[in-house]
């Protein structure tokens, strides 16, 4: 569902990646959402996710340059409860 929404709204130079890490001692899972693309594209995705109620703009890290010229990234970390 999220991918369908993002496909319709993201500029071609932006991408989104989901990563998960778990702790064996709880049912909590920490998920990192990473957006990579041009500064304009990344900001657009962050604002779109805010309008959809996914995350506040302030939850995202500052734009950080990647190894590719003209490309930046921003990361948001969220704790979710998972059923086993």
């Amino acid at each position: 569902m999220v991918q369908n929404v993002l496909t319709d709204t993201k500029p071609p130079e932006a991408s989104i990646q989901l990563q998960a890490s778990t702790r064996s001692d709880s049912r909590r899972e920490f998920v990192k959402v990473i957006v990579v693309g041009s500064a304009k594209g990344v900001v657009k995705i962050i604002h779109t996710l805010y309008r959809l109620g996914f995350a506040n703009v302030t939850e995202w890290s500052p734009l950080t340059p990647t190894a590719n010229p003209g490309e930046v990234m921003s990361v948001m970390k969220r704790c979710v409860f998972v059923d086993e």
Side-chain angles (χ1 to χ4, degrees), residues 19 31-35 49 54-61 74-79:
Q19 293 181 332
V31 178
K32 292 179 187 174
V33 179
I34 304 169
V35 181
L49 292 172
F54 182 76
N56 288 325
V57 173
T58 57
E59 293 182 69
W60 292 89
S61 69
S74 184
V75 180
M76 189 210 81
K77 187 175 178 181
R78 168 93 34 101
C79 179

Side-chain angles (χ1 to χ4, degrees), residues 1-4 6 15-21 29-36 45 49 54 60 74-78 80:
M1 169 100 177
V2 172
Q3 189 174 12
N4 291 339
L6 293 178
S15 64
I16 188 167
Q17 177 183 9
L18 302 178
Q19 293 181 332
S21 61
E29 182 173 324
F30 292 93
V31 178
K32 292 179 187 174
V33 179
I34 304 169
V35 181
V36 179
I45 292 295
L49 292 172
F54 182 76
W60 292 89
S74 184
V75 180
M76 189 210 81
K77 187 175 178 181
R78 168 93 34 101
V80 296

Side-chain angles (χ1 to χ4, degrees), residues 6 9-11 14 16 35 41-50:
L6 293 178
T9 61
K10 73 178 181 178
I16 188 167
V35 181
V42 170
V43 169
K44 182 171 183 161
I45 292 295
I46 290 170
H47 287 157
T48 299
L49 292 172
Y50 168 73

